[in-house]
Amino acid sequence: MNKKFYITTPIYYSSGKPHIGHAYTTIMADCLSKYKKLIGYDTFFLTGMDEHGQKIEETAKKNNLSPQEMIDKNAMIFQDLWKKLDINYDIFMRTSFDEHKKFVQEKFTELLNKKYIYLGEWKSKYCVSCEENINSSEVVKKDNKFYCQFGHELIDKNEESYFLKVSLFKDWIKDFFKNKKDFIVPQSRVNELVNNFIDNDFSDLSISRISFDWGIKINENPKHVVYVWLDALFNYVSALKMKNKFDEFWSDKSEKVHLLSKEITRFHCIYWPIFLKMLDLELPNKIISHGWIITKTGKMSKSLGNVIDPIELISEFGTDAVRYYFMKDLSIEKDSIFDKDLLISCYNSDLANNYGNIVSRVSGMIQKYRDGIIPKFKKTKNKLNIDFYKRINEFVSKVEQCINSLNVNIIVNHVLNFENDINLFIENFKPWNLFKDGNKEELNEFLNLINVAAKLVVWYLSPILTNATKIACDVLNFDLNKFNYKKWENSLKEDENKKINPNVIIFERIKNKE
Ligand code: MSP
């Protein structure tokens, strides 16, 4: 039986259009899902929309739409972007699905029966934009008004509410973090969570609202709707139930990973494990909390007018360039500045000069020296060939380790080093001299080796470069699905007498505008 891998993005608020931050997380999740598939896992990839709550209700009203009209419209806009970015999810989850609503209601009842829920009075400063209670220590006061750390104005809440007894689990969650060091990536976020939230006023969580009704009604008391974060987090499990994949992908045998960025780490790392623990359900294995994409003028925001539209980037540079740049140049640990000039130089150096050039050189040399036919494979004693043989083995031996690190930066660097070594091999081997001297055997072996090396590059970047892969496979006459990277040596024999096609330019260099 294949190993299982479940990866999720956050389900995005349905109150606005997607920007490059949403695109970044979703591309990364898509790549991780495709990488795991590449090494033989069964995968399930979830993305979707968070469609309830006060923010959605208020935004719809401002736009003269009903909440349902607005969420339907925005779900289509997000799905359209994912299509343009070649995102292959297994479910586009929406919290307005009836199955999800029923699931949340059942879990609420279960928590009520287990006596983890009580009715009380909720008094708090609240951020509607973040849909989050703000602790007194986090409130920013300015001109007699109160704001959250992201500059959203806070409102006073004072209403009847159900509470979840999360405070009972304070020691449990601290121990959990202590014992499971690799639960949160990067680990530097753990101290932040413990100091700012767990050791600082960790009180029971208000989990219902009565001041608006765009949400899931609580069966036992329908004037209350479920707090949007409780509703939303449950989507990760209700989606699997909906698709009959729960037993397969939420079991202890499955690797379950949530991908998100730092501002919602608290909900995923503290509250979500507690909800699951209360319900005796499996916990996720890992939460990857990446940094933000910011611009040269700071964090993207509508009011600053610096929001970058991913659709514009795709039409200017193409899907592959956007996917590759995001995966190579943006960091998980820190915030990264999005910069078009860097995108252009990354495109030119890595995609046009390295990737495209390797496919083109391999095809060109096989055309020139062997009329486009891959020669018979025979081992010789040529030292450069022997060394390169070892280099391929070294590259292949690290593939799984790199993919299992779940860090696409590492994967890309691994392949970049290999690409540099292919170019170096060609420069040192000087096939043009052997061709002149008529040294057939060593030249043939060299052509066999660079053909398989180019195939490995194409194979290894195929989860990122979804369009270029098709073109490169065409040129190299390469069937990705039949390739077994662990047995790469077999293809030296299998490819004998195969016809290589003339090269086409995969990535045209972009000229800098200046
Ligand atoms: N609806 C909640 C999530 C509920 S999950 C159970 C939410 N939605 S959101 O629309 O605000 O999306 C937040 C997520 O979008 C971040 O966690 C991150 O994955 C992505 N990004 C949004 N802006 C971002 C950047 N500027 N940079 C990188 N990613 C960020 O929170």
Side-chain angles (χ1 to χ4, degrees):
M1 215 177 46
N2 291 340
K3 292 191 201 161
K4 313 287 171 194
F5 180 68
Y6 179 38
I7 179 98
T8 69
T9 70
I11 47 170
Y12 304 113
Y13 284 128
S14 196
S15 44
K17 279 192 348 183
H19 58 64
I20 54 170
H22 304 116
Y24 173 56
T25 311
T26 312
I27 293 171
M28 197 191 291
D30 182 60
C31 288
L32 290 175
S33 157
K34 287 178 170 142
Y35 269 115
K36 285 287 196 169
K37 219 178 249 171
L38 200 66
I39 54 169
Y41 280 70
D42 291 335
T43 62
F44 195 91
F45 165 26
L46 171 150
T47 189
M49 308 298 297
D50 189 351
E51 302 183 303
H52 293 133
Q54 187 167 357
K55 172 154 103 167
I56 307 285
E57 193 180 81
E58 286 178 2
T59 315
K61 206 178 269 165
K62 266 189 219 144
N63 289 300
N64 289 324
L65 294 169
S66 70
Q68 190 65 48
E69 282 168 337
M70 186 183 76
I71 63 172
D72 287 346
K73 187 172 139 243
N74 286 335
M76 270 166 60
I77 296 176
F78 270 83
Q79 278 172 291
D80 183 52
L81 173 62
W82 303 150
K83 202 163 165 196
K84 290 196 168 70
L85 279 171
D86 273 336
I87 304 292
N88 298 118
Y89 47 76
D90 295 288
I91 187 167
F92 185 80
M93 188 56 187
R94 299 181 58 181
T95 52
S96 59
F97 286 154
D98 285 342
E99 294 92 330
H100 170 76
K101 290 191 216 166
K102 199 164 157 271
F103 182 84
V104 172
Q105 285 169 331
E106 282 167 12
K107 292 298 152 201
F108 194 95
T109 304
E110 211 175 313
L111 290 167
L112 209 55
N113 292 343
K114 287 187 160 194
K115 310 251 179 302
Y116 284 130
I117 292 179
Y118 61 92
L119 194 60
E121 199 62 32
W122 176 45
K123 274 195 192 141
S124 169
K125 294 241 174 285
Y126 190 73
C127 175
V128 175
S129 189
C130 304
E131 293 281 16
E132 191 176 348
N133 263 350
I134 307 298
N135 285 346
S136 47
S137 61
E138 292 172 280
V139 170
V140 181
K141 194 170 169 196
K142 207 171 133 199
D143 303 333
N144 275 334
K145 289 190 174 160
F146 299 97
Y147 301 88
C148 78
Q149 55 167 321
F150 304 118
H152 309 130
E153 196 174 337
L154 305 179
I155 56 170
D156 282 312
K157 283 278 189 183
N158 190 352
E159 60 187 60
E160 177 186 289
S161 167
Y162 283 101
F163 285 85
L164 191 66
K165 294 182 187 170
V166 293
S167 57
L168 292 178
F169 288 80
K170 181 173 172 167
D171 292 338
W172 174 80
I173 193 76
K174 276 174 84 169
D175 282 349
F176 176 69
F177 289 162
K178 227 181 262 163
N179 297 332
K180 199 157 166 25
K181 292 264 182 281
D182 57 351
F183 181 62
I184 306 175
V185 176
Q187 276 183 24
S188 54
R189 305 229 194 279
V190 178
N191 286 345
E192 252 169 66
L193 285 177
V194 173
N195 297 339
N196 297 347
F197 301 113
I198 303 180
D199 281 345
N200 180 14
D201 190 17
F202 188 60
S203 42
D204 291 345
L205 182 68
S206 156
I207 53 160
S208 77
R209 303 288 183 263
I210 52 170
S211 50
F212 62 91
D213 64 2
W214 183 245
I216 303 178
K217 290 209 172 359
I218 292 172
N219 279 336
E220 292 77 2
N221 188 351
K223 74 173 182 194
H224 287 255
V225 294
V226 175
Y227 171 43
V228 65
W229 269 102
L230 188 81
D231 166 352
L233 286 162
F234 274 126
N235 96 91
Y236 297 135
V237 172
S238 66
L240 292 176
K241 289 264 184 195
M242 265 177 72
K243 292 276 184 183
N244 282 327
K245 295 282 183 187
F246 178 83
D247 292 342
E248 195 179 343
F249 288 99
W250 203 264
S251 80
D252 57 344
K253 308 257 168 356
S254 167
E255 188 180 348
K256 305 170 284 302
V257 178
H258 298 306
L259 186 63
L260 41 115
S261 73
K262 56 186 186 179
E263 79 294 350
I264 56 173
T265 310
R266 165 193 180 186
F267 284 98
H268 286 79
C269 294
I270 303 176
Y271 294 125
W272 179 225
I274 293 179
F275 299 167
L276 292 164
K277 174 79 183 155
M278 286 176 167
L279 292 163
D280 299 316
L281 289 168
E282 281 294 320
L283 306 186
N285 300 77
K286 206 180 270 310
I287 311 286
I288 305 177
S289 162
H290 61 70
W292 278 334
I293 307 183
I294 53 176
T295 67
K296 286 179 190 161
T297 49
K299 189 171 186 287
M300 277 181 290
S301 85
K302 269 192 216 149
S303 51
L304 288 175
N306 58 0
V307 176
I308 299 162
D309 181 352
I311 300 275
E312 280 169 26
L313 281 186
I314 300 167
S315 54
E316 195 171 350
F317 300 106
T319 299
D320 280 349
V322 174
R323 287 175 67 98
Y324 185 86
Y325 169 69
F326 280 9
M327 290 305 98
K328 185 204 166 187
D329 261 20
L330 306 180
S331 144
I332 289 191
E333 280 82 13
K334 340 181 249 340
D335 293 348
S336 311
I337 295 182
F338 172 83
D339 181 341
K340 248 191 200 183
D341 291 335
L342 287 180
L343 191 160
I344 295 175
S345 59
C346 165
Y347 172 100
N348 282 339
S349 71
D350 290 16
L351 298 180
N353 290 0
N354 255 336
Y355 181 95
N357 200 34
I358 284 171
V359 174
S360 141
R361 284 181 107 175
V362 169
S363 142
M365 284 188 277
I366 296 175
Q367 298 295 335
K368 184 165 175 198
Y369 304 136
R370 293 291 169 253
D371 291 330
I373 308 290
I374 299 178
K376 248 180 131 28
F377 173 68
K378 192 168 160 234
K379 271 196 171 173
T380 70
K381 295 214 164 70
N382 180 291
K383 167 88 171 73
L384 288 170
N385 283 346
I386 292 171
D387 285 350
F388 196 64
Y389 210 89
K390 281 193 208 137
R391 178 65 182 96
I392 300 180
N393 269 328
E394 185 202 323
F395 172 75
V396 168
S397 70
K398 291 206 187 113
V399 161
E400 275 192 40
Q401 191 191 329
C402 287
I403 294 179
N404 286 329
S405 73
L406 301 182
N407 183 336
V408 189
N409 285 165
I410 291 180
I411 299 175
V412 172
N413 278 322
H414 187 222
V415 80
L416 265 176
N417 289 336
F418 186 57
E419 285 173 332
N420 288 337
D421 287 347
I422 298 177
N423 281 324
L424 212 63
F425 176 47
I426 299 174
E427 297 315 313
N428 292 339
F429 195 90
K430 299 185 178 42
W432 39 92
N433 288 343
L434 276 82
F435 183 63
K436 254 194 303 184
D437 305 343
N439 187 338
K440 256 195 182 174
E441 284 199 343
E442 290 185 9
L443 177 62
N444 284 352
E445 187 187 25
F446 163 84
L447 294 174
N448 288 120
L449 286 173
I450 55 164
N451 171 54
V452 85
K455 280 170 53 165
L456 275 162
V457 167
V458 171
W459 173 85
Y460 204 35
L461 287 181
S462 63
I464 306 179
L465 302 175
T466 52
N467 289 310
T469 303
K470 289 178 211 137
I471 309 173
C473 282
D474 246 22
V475 171
L476 298 174
N477 193 358
F478 172 29
D479 185 347
L480 215 55
N481 298 319
K482 289 193 185 141
F483 185 67
N484 181 343
Y485 73 101
K486 284 185 187 153
K487 297 188 177 156
W488 66 270
E489 287 172 52
N490 289 356
S491 71
L492 292 167
K493 273 256 157 244
E494 287 158 10
D495 283 354
E496 284 180 354
N497 296 323
K498 222 188 214 177
K499 176 129 185 51
I500 293 285
N501 291 309
N503 180 51
V504 282
I505 293 173
I506 306 179
F507 293 106
E508 189 99 47
R509 275 185 70 82
I510 303 172
K511 289 193 187 72
N512 260 326
K513 297 220 167 80
E514 300 82 72

